[in-house]
Every structure is written in structure tokens, then in C-alpha cells.
Amino acid sequence: MTPYDVIVIGAGIVGSAIARDLAGQRLSVALLDARADVGDGTSKANTAILHTGFDATPGTLESAMVRRGYALLSEYAFHTGIPIERTGAILVAWDDEQLAALPALRDKARANGYDHCEIVDAATVYAQVPDLGDGVLGGLTVPGESIICTWTVNLALATDAVNRGAALHTGHRVTAIEVGTDATTLHTSAGPVRGRWIVNAAGLGADHVDALFGHERFTVTPRRGELIVYDKLARPLVNRIVLPVPTARGKGVLVSPTIYGNVMLGPTSEDIEDRSATGTTEHGLEFLLEKGRRLLPRLLDEEVTATYTGLRAAIDHGDFLIEPDAAQRYLLVGGIRSTGLTAGMAIAEHVHGVLAEAGLPLRARTDLPAPPVMPNLGEAFIRPYQDADRIAADPQYGSIVCFCERVTVGELRDACRSVIPPAGLEGLRRRTRVMNGRCQGFFCGAEVQDILEREGAGR
């Protein structure tokens, strides 16, 4: 078995970004994931905000990565068609403690290289978000905060990696490791894979993989974040991200528009033990409804489209952990919290430098393919059912299957025939928005399943 030059464990946003970067060198690269599809773990369920890094801890690696990642991902999105809406954000102070915290938050933003925050009075806050509840005392504007499609980011990076020659191995859960003199053998649930260098970007499982290499550097604690998604009719209530003012008690609950035209309320923040506990809870949803009643009372009159839970990889360390073990030709990329969406491409850039310093020979390729052009899932941009020229060229783009989200036969067909086809209905949902609306697939689910099976995907 010929070893790969580099194996990246974890096909979430960070792992996919690293594989894409390294596949741009004269290296053989493999991207492994325990699940059946890319982006099926932590990366699929977050608040989907492209962060400026204004509130990161100055001087940390996370701060530097978020700031750099914001620029890199913005540029990459332009070339690949990843939808972004530059909504801006406003932190809202509801009591004297939060109001007093605003100057320090503005100063922190400046220390992080972001100079565009402005403290505003209550009248200005209500002018920007008229439907906020009573009692606002002031706010802090963050005009650069944006909403983005996290699903498309992950898929674009993984597709780019595969197009550049990386081998994608899904369904490969790492169970044991043998470090040899010339290569390391990863024993997985689908058989052994060998690599000269191993990069651990396994997210919630990063500490377990790290332990297999003999380290005891950190422990991942799953942090459950529950969210409520409201119907598109609620979108006029909030045209920007409404952030809480973080205090000693935590960051709190936000209200945000989504790239798909909905409104999101959440997340909760609860440390748990079960790394697979992605179901919502009664107490979590009750907590969010209580917060929403204070933040945006009219929102609770709107219909709920969905609820979901994401698990963040919280660790007992104050920063990202990107640490090489040159003797074992192994690199840990751990403790990447929800900012990994924004920071992913910068982390990949940083990993590139760390591996070069650790002895991995890197020579840039000159024959790279163009980045992939991704299907648009953003509600604010033209989608296939609205594109007369596209429908004229291919009538399947005018044949709607999912009426809640206006997803067409053409889009489902394209997803099933793409470079990384979906492993099942959930993967198809993340690639097209199908079954993501009011009826949650009740009306279209059978036809969608039929198309998936007819196209041969999901097998």
C-alpha cells in the first residue's frame, strides 16, 4: 500500500480547507472522515456568520486566524459563488452592566484591527431594528459582520480539494494508529490507510485521535447549541444580526437573518458528555423562547420552520491548538470553535507554514484547476427557478419539486451528479435546500427520494 504524503482526518470546513491547500502542492493528499459525507459533523450546524473577529481575544492565534480568514473566505466566495449577505450586526445593551461593557468591546475590536465599531444610543438601535423589545439602552454597531452559507463553504473546499487530486475517503473512522519509520498506518472502520504525515482536524473527535498518538494535551467537551428557525415571513422583522453583549455569564442568545431567507434565534450553550447528542431539548427551546420574547416579541408570533442542535468542540484551553509533533510526523489542529467557519482558510494557510517548518517538503503546483462554481442557495440572489434563460436551456430548472424552498429537478440532478454526490437525503438537503422549508419534506420527500435513487446517489 503506497502511503499518501499527507492524510487529513476530518472533512469539515477546517479539514477540507487544509486538504485543499495541501493538494495545491506536489503532494499526494487524502481527506478522511468518519461519516458518510463531508460536512456532516460540527460544520453543518452553526450560526453561519462570517465574523470580523471584533470580539476575539487580542493576541491569540484565533484572533489572527479569524481576521485573516474573513478576507480569504470573502475572496474565495466571490470566485466560487458562495452566497454572502453583508447585513452588518448590532450588539444591544439591555441593562447598565451591558451598556458599561460597550466601550471595552469597541476597544477590543480596535485591538483586533477592526476599527469600524461605533457606540450608538437607544434611538439609533431602534431605528435599525424597530421591532426590538422595550428597554434597549444602547448598542455597538459592527458593520462588517455577514451571513453566509456554511454548507456551501464546506462543500466548495472539499470539492476543490478533490478537483486538485485529493482522495476523499468517507466512512473511515480512525480506530488505531501505528507510527512506522517511513509512514503511519491509520486503522479505520473501512480498512487501513497509510500516510507519511497525519493532520488531525477531527473536530469533536480530535482529542481521541490525539490520544492515539500518545498525547494528553486537551479534552473536548461537546457544547450543545440549540436554535430555532422561523419562517421566511419573519424576515422583515430583522435585517441585520442582533448580538447580545457578552458578560461574565456568557455570550448569550442572538437573533439573525439567514442566507436562506429565514430568521434564527439561538444558540443555547450547554456543556454535555454525549458527542452524538444533536437532538433538541424541551428546556433548551423554552429558554430560547423566553429570550426571544424579550429580544424581539413579534418574532414569537411567526411560524417555526425548524429546530436544530449543533455541537461545538469546546476545550480546556484558551486558544486554537495547532501543534506539530515532528518526530511522529503528526500535526494537531484542535479546539477550533464556531469561528472555524470564518477562520478555516486561514488555518489552512497557517498549517501550510507549520508543516513546512516541521520538514514537509512543499512545492507549489502550476497546473491547478479553477475553483468550483457552486450552486447558489442564497435567497437574496437569483436561483434557477427564477432564471428564464437557464430554464429555456434546460427545462428541468423550471420543474419545482420542493415548493417550500423552490428547489427544482435540475438542481437535485446536478447535486447527485456532482464531484462529491450526497450520501443520502440529509446531504442532498445541504446541497440544495430541498425539504428545508415549512413542511420539512412532508410534501416532496417521496419524490426527492425517488430522484436520489434514480440518479444513483446516496448508495
Side-chain angles (χ1 to χ4, degrees), residues 222-444:
R223 183 161 293 161
R224 178 162 55 197
E226 301 179 52
L227 299 108
I228 300 175
V229 180
Y230 286 88
D231 189 77
K232 292 174 177 56
L233 293 175
R235 180 63 183 267
L237 296 177
V238 56
N239 63 358
R240 68 198 65 216
I241 305 160
V242 179
L243 297 170
V245 176
T247 67
R249 295 186 297 275
K251 285 194 171 183
V253 171
L254 62 84
V255 179
S256 174
T258 75
I259 203 74
Y260 318 114
N262 302 89
V263 173
M264 178 178 60
L265 173 67
T268 58
S269 181
E270 179 187 5
D271 289 346
I272 60 175
E273 295 182 2
D274 186 352
R275 302 186 188 209
S276 63
T278 56
T280 54
T281 65
E282 182 178 358
H283 71 267
L285 297 180
E286 286 179 350
F287 171 80
L288 290 179
L289 292 173
E290 179 184 347
K291 290 292 185 180
R293 194 170 289 112
R294 169 78 186 277
L295 292 169
L296 203 69
R298 288 184 57 193
L299 183 61
L300 272 66
D301 295 330
E302 301 293 334
E303 294 187 14
V304 172
T305 294
T307 60
Y308 69 94
T309 293
L311 298 179
R312 309 188 287 282
I315 65 169
D316 46 357
H317 191 275
D319 201 358
F320 291 171
L321 279 176
I322 302 179
E323 298 181 359
D325 178 344
Q328 296 190 91
R329 300 178 304 278
Y330 164 66
L331 177 67
L332 166 66
V333 183
I336 312 300
R337 292 172 283 275
S338 58
T339 51
L341 165 59
T342 302
M345 295 187 75
I347 292 171
E349 188 179 70
H350 181 70
V351 163
H352 181 117
V354 171
L355 289 174
E357 289 182 6
L360 179 66
L362 298 176
R363 292 181 300 140
R365 290 171 50 190
T366 58
D367 59 343
L368 291 179
V373 177
M374 306 305 294
N376 166 51
L377 302 189
E379 190 72 5
F381 311 96
I382 295 176
R383 296 183 51 223
Y385 80 94
Q386 300 168 314
D387 191 335
D389 291 340
R390 193 169 186 179
I391 294 169
D394 184 345
Q396 287 197 322
Y397 291 118
S399 178
I400 294 175
V401 176
C402 172
F403 284 87
C404 295
E405 296 295 299
R406 301 294 193 269
V407 181
T408 66
V409 173
E411 292 168 273
L412 298 175
R413 176 204 62 204
D414 292 349
C416 292
R417 298 179 185 179
S418 63
V419 173
I420 306 177
L425 286 174
E426 285 303 308
L428 191 57
R429 182 195 297 259
R430 294 195 298 275
R431 286 162 173 80
T432 63
R433 282 175 44 180
V434 74
M435 305 188 306
N436 214 43
R438 278 189 169 195
C439 81
Q440 291 289 291
F442 180 82
F443 177 79
C444 64

Side-chain angles (χ1 to χ4, degrees), residues 13-335:
I13 286 173
V14 173
S16 296
I18 293 169
R20 170 192 172 273
D21 180 274
L22 294 176
Q25 305 297 305
R26 297 188 183 278
L27 298 169
S28 57
V29 177
L31 178 60
L32 267 62
D33 201 273
R35 297 174 182 261
D37 202 355
V38 302
D40 195 35
T42 298
S43 293
K44 74 180 179 184
N46 56 45
T47 51
I49 295 174
L50 180 61
H51 287 294
T52 58
F54 79 97
D55 62 345
T57 302
T60 60
L61 180 60
E62 180 177 18
S63 171
M65 295 296 96
V66 173
R67 185 168 63 251
R68 174 65 175 156
Y70 181 91
L72 290 174
L73 183 51
S74 295
E75 178 70 15
Y76 190 66
F78 174 79
H79 292 292
T80 57
I82 296 168
I84 295 176
E85 283 188 56
R86 305 291 184 182
T87 60
I90 187 163
L91 281 81
V92 179
W94 296 91
D95 58 38
D96 290 335
E97 179 188 3
Q98 294 175 5
L99 187 66
L102 296 182
L105 286 168
R106 180 196 56 200
D107 294 344
K108 177 186 277 191
R110 290 172 177 170
N112 282 316
Y114 188 76
D115 299 324
H116 307 293
C117 290
E118 179 185 358
I119 296 175
V120 296
D121 60 16
T124 303
V125 174
Y126 281 116
Q128 294 189 9
V129 191
D131 288 298
L132 283 174
D134 295 335
V136 171
L137 300 181
L140 181 75
T141 62
V142 193
E145 296 283 288
S146 306
I147 56 175
I148 190 169
C149 179
T150 184
W151 301 333
T152 309
V153 171
N154 203 147
L155 187 61
L157 292 167
T159 299
D160 213 350
V162 171
N163 286 346
R164 291 178 171 196
L168 176 63
H169 299 285
T170 54
H172 281 62
R173 182 178 298 278
V174 177
T175 56
I177 290 171
E178 291 181 46
V179 179
T181 55
D182 64 333
T184 294
T185 300
L186 303 180
H187 295 279
T188 81
S189 53
V193 187
R194 299 181 71 226
R196 296 186 178 90
W197 270 88
I198 309 298
V199 176
N200 172 10
L204 286 168
D207 58 338
H208 290 169
V209 174
D210 200 48
L212 292 175
F213 277 94
H215 295 284
E216 296 181 358
R217 287 182 273 197
F218 69 110
T219 299
V220 169
T221 300
R223 183 161 293 161
R224 178 162 55 197
E226 301 179 52
L227 299 108
I228 300 175
V229 180
Y230 286 88
D231 189 77
K232 292 174 177 56
L233 293 175
R235 180 63 183 267
L237 296 177
V238 56
N239 63 358
R240 68 198 65 216
I241 305 160
V242 179
L243 297 170
V245 176
T247 67
R249 295 186 297 275
K251 285 194 171 183
V253 171
L254 62 84
V255 179
S256 174
T258 75
I259 203 74
Y260 318 114
N262 302 89
V263 173
M264 178 178 60
L265 173 67
T268 58
S269 181
E270 179 187 5
D271 289 346
I272 60 175
E273 295 182 2
D274 186 352
R275 302 186 188 209
S276 63
T278 56
T280 54
T281 65
E282 182 178 358
H283 71 267
L285 297 180
E286 286 179 350
F287 171 80
L288 290 179
L289 292 173
E290 179 184 347
K291 290 292 185 180
R293 194 170 289 112
R294 169 78 186 277
L295 292 169
L296 203 69
R298 288 184 57 193
L299 183 61
L300 272 66
D301 295 330
E302 301 293 334
E303 294 187 14
V304 172
T305 294
T307 60
Y308 69 94
T309 293
L311 298 179
R312 309 188 287 282
I315 65 169
D316 46 357
H317 191 275
D319 201 358
F320 291 171
L321 279 176
I322 302 179
E323 298 181 359
D325 178 344
Q328 296 190 91
R329 300 178 304 278
Y330 164 66
L331 177 67
L332 166 66
V333 183

